[in-house]
């Protein structure tokens, strides 16, 4: 079964410094990857969806996918304190099921 | 309107009492999902409806029920809440097979006391 692992568990960056989050998965046949974030006690907000190897940019958020290396990353340009949240990596494992990582807690210091 | 709506936002329940959570979507998605999210844990799929067919995960089979009286509406039912049910419950929907339009609701935070 697809396993999704995220690192680091927690990341603290200063406002304006690039934040980089990592996600590894065990099954490279998946073709549907997403990054979500969850602010405290709120629902999931989709940030970037990526379906093929390479790069996908959505505003300040850029995802990089390398299925050969079983790796997808998220880079946040010029993070702000309001970006402090839990960031979740999600991988479609089959027709219906999405497997999530446990998340990275991002803290952006003003 | 491309949103999934969940009610209520917050729910307080007593141990042993039933709980019913509601989700709706107006995107005509044929699949609706329920996830459970606890702090510092990955969201966990509980069950999903593809059209009128309910699929429940093996390890939560007996703990949760659901109904989908029409395409737009799906509920999650807990017959007898326990403390371990305290969590955020997230509803999602998608067209076809978990496609690019997978959309989550804002969630219902359930606290069982």
């Amino acid at each position: 079964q697809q396993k999704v692992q995220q690192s680091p568990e927690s990341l603290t960056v200063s406002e304006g410094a690039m934040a980089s989050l990592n996600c590894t998965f065990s099954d490279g046949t998946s073709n549907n990857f997403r990054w979500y974030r969850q602010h405290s006690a709120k629902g999931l907000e989709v940030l970037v969806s990526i379906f093929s190897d390479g790069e996908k940019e959505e505003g300040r958020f850029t995802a990089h996918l390398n299925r050969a290396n079983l790796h997808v990353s998220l880079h946040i340009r010029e993070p702000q304190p309001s970006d402090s949240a839990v960031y979740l990596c999600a991988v479609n494992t089959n027709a219906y099921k999405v497997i999530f990582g446990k998340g990275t807690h991002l803290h952006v210091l003003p | 309107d491309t949103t999934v709506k969940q009610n209520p936002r917050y729910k307080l329940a007593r141990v042993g009492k039933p709980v019913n959570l509601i989700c709706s979507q107006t995107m005509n998605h044929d699949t609706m999902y329920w996830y459970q999210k606890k702090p510092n844990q990955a969201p966990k799929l509980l069950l999903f409806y593809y059209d009128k067919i309910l699929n429940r995960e093996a390890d939560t089979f007996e703990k949760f029920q659901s109904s989908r009286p029409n395409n737009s509406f799906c509920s999650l039912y807990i017959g007898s809440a326990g403390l371990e049910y305290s969590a955020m419950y997230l509803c999602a929907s998608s067209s076809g097979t978990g496609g690019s339009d997978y959309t989550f609701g804002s969630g219902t935070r359930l606290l069982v006391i």
Side-chain angles (χ1 to χ4, degrees), chain A residues 9-67:
Chain A
E9 288 187 15
S10 182
L11 176 66
T12 300
V13 300
S14 297
E15 185 175 1
M18 177 79 79
S20 296
L21 289 63
N22 297 297
C23 176
T24 59
F25 46 93
S26 59
D27 182 357
T29 61
S30 296
N31 61 2
N32 193 331
F33 303 83
R34 289 190 187 88
W35 283 96
Y36 292 89
R37 75 178 172 187
Q38 184 182 28
H39 285 103
S40 180
K42 295 189 177 178
L44 300 187
E45 173 191 5
V46 63
L47 300 173
V48 185
S49 300
I50 186 165
F51 308 111
S52 59
D53 287 346
E55 181 178 300
K56 176 80 177 291
E57 182 176 317
E58 295 283 357
R60 295 183 295 110
F61 303 96
T62 302
H64 291 264
L65 174 62
N66 185 327
R67 276 183 291 181

Side-chain angles (χ1 to χ4, degrees), chain A residues 32 34 36 38 40-46 49 51 86 88 92 94-103 105, chain B residues 9-10 31 33 35 37 40-43 45 48 50 57 88 90 96-102 104-106 109:
Chain A
N32 193 331
R34 289 190 187 88
Y36 292 89
Q38 184 182 28
S40 180
K42 295 189 177 178
L44 300 187
E45 173 191 5
V46 63
S49 300
F51 308 111
V86 175
L88 294 162
N92 267 63
N94 62 24
Y96 301 103
K97 198 164 182 175
V98 174
I99 302 294
F100 287 86
K102 289 186 177 181
H105 290 252
Chain B
R9 287 294 304 277
Y10 301 93
T31 309
Y33 311 78
Y35 285 81
K37 171 80 170 66
N40 301 314
Q41 294 184 21
L45 179 66
F48 66 91
Y50 173 63
E57 291 293 286
M88 169 79 83
L90 295 159
T97 55
S100 59
D101 55 2
Y102 211 102
F104 278 90
S106 297
R109 181 166 289 279

